[in-house]
Amino acid sequence: MLNLAEALETDLWTLDVLWWSVLDDGLDLDEPPVTEEAAIERRGFSLEKQLQIFLLDNWARTQIGQEWDLLETPENPEAGSQYHCPAGRIDFLAKHKTDPRWLVIELKKGQTSDEAVGQALRYMGWVKSDLAQGEQVEGLIIALAGDKKLEYAASMVPQISFMRYEVNFSLRSASEGSVQAAA
C-alpha cells in the first residue's frame, strides 16, 4: 500500500477511502465513470466511519447535540460512540439532557432501507432491557437518503425517526476569515 500510495502520489487515507468504496459499492467496469456532477450531487461520505467521526467531532454544533449528550463513563468520555453491547455495535448512544430518555443512533453513509429499522430496534431493545431502568428509549436513523421501504417501516414505529444528512463545505480567503465546514 505504501508503494502504491507513493506511485500514485497520494496518501493512505485516500487509498483507504477508494478501497472501501470499491468493496462497498462493487466495481462494474462496464459502467461509465462517475462524472464530477454526479459526485457533487451525491454529497455524502464515502465511509460510515467518516460520518461517525464528523458527528463526534461536531456533536455540540449539531441539532441533536443541543438536546442530547453522548453517553460518558469515568473511564471513557466517548463511551457513547461505537458502543459495544451483546446486540451489536451501536453507532451512538445518548441520554437526553433534561428528560429520562435514551437515544440509539444508527448511521448509514448513503441510502438506506427498512433493514436499518430492524437494526435500530434490536439496539433499542437491548438498551431498554439492560440500561434504561424504566426510561424511554428512542431510535434515530441518520443517512444521506432513505427509500420508500424505510419510510413505510419507520412510520409504523413512533419511537424511531429518520434524518437525512447533508454535507456542506466552504473555503474562504484569508481576508474573509477561517476555513470552515458546516456541521
Side-chain angles (χ1 to χ4, degrees), residues 34-49:
V34 175
T35 65
E36 183 178 350
E37 294 80 20
I40 290 170
E41 186 176 299
R42 193 164 148 183
R43 297 189 132 185
F45 290 97
S46 296
L47 300 173
E48 187 175 303
K49 182 73 173 169

Side-chain angles (χ1 to χ4, degrees), residues 12-133:
L12 291 174
W13 177 251
T14 303
L15 285 179
D16 186 57
V17 169
L18 175 63
W19 179 252
W20 283 107
S21 179
V22 167
L23 286 178
D24 188 43
D25 297 335
L27 183 59
D28 186 352
L29 296 176
D30 294 330
E31 268 187 37
V34 175
T35 65
E36 183 178 350
E37 294 80 20
I40 290 170
E41 186 176 299
R42 193 164 148 183
R43 297 189 132 185
F45 290 97
S46 296
L47 300 173
E48 187 175 303
K49 182 73 173 169
Q50 292 170 319
L51 174 59
Q52 187 258 336
I53 290 169
F54 182 83
L55 285 173
L56 185 60
D57 288 348
N58 295 282
W59 186 263
R61 292 184 285 206
T62 66
Q63 177 184 355
I64 302 164
Q66 301 303 306
E67 197 175 342
W68 299 88
D69 287 325
L70 288 175
L71 180 67
E72 294 181 3
T73 65
E75 309 82 42
N76 183 0
E78 294 181 353
S81 174
Q82 302 295 303
Y83 190 89
H84 291 274
C85 68
R89 181 191 42 80
I90 302 171
D91 290 325
F92 285 114
L93 182 58
K95 290 210 59 168
H96 196 271
K97 291 184 184 230
T98 58
D99 300 334
R101 295 163 48 199
W102 289 82
L103 180 65
V104 169
I105 301 174
E106 179 58 32
L107 304 176
K108 299 297 178 190
K109 70 175 179 77
Q111 181 169 327
T112 192
S113 188
D114 55 352
E115 292 176 16
V117 174
Q119 187 177 6
L121 285 171
R122 182 178 64 225
Y123 299 150
M124 291 167 63
W126 180 84
V127 170
K128 182 175 181 160
S129 74
D130 288 49
L131 295 179
Q133 300 177 6

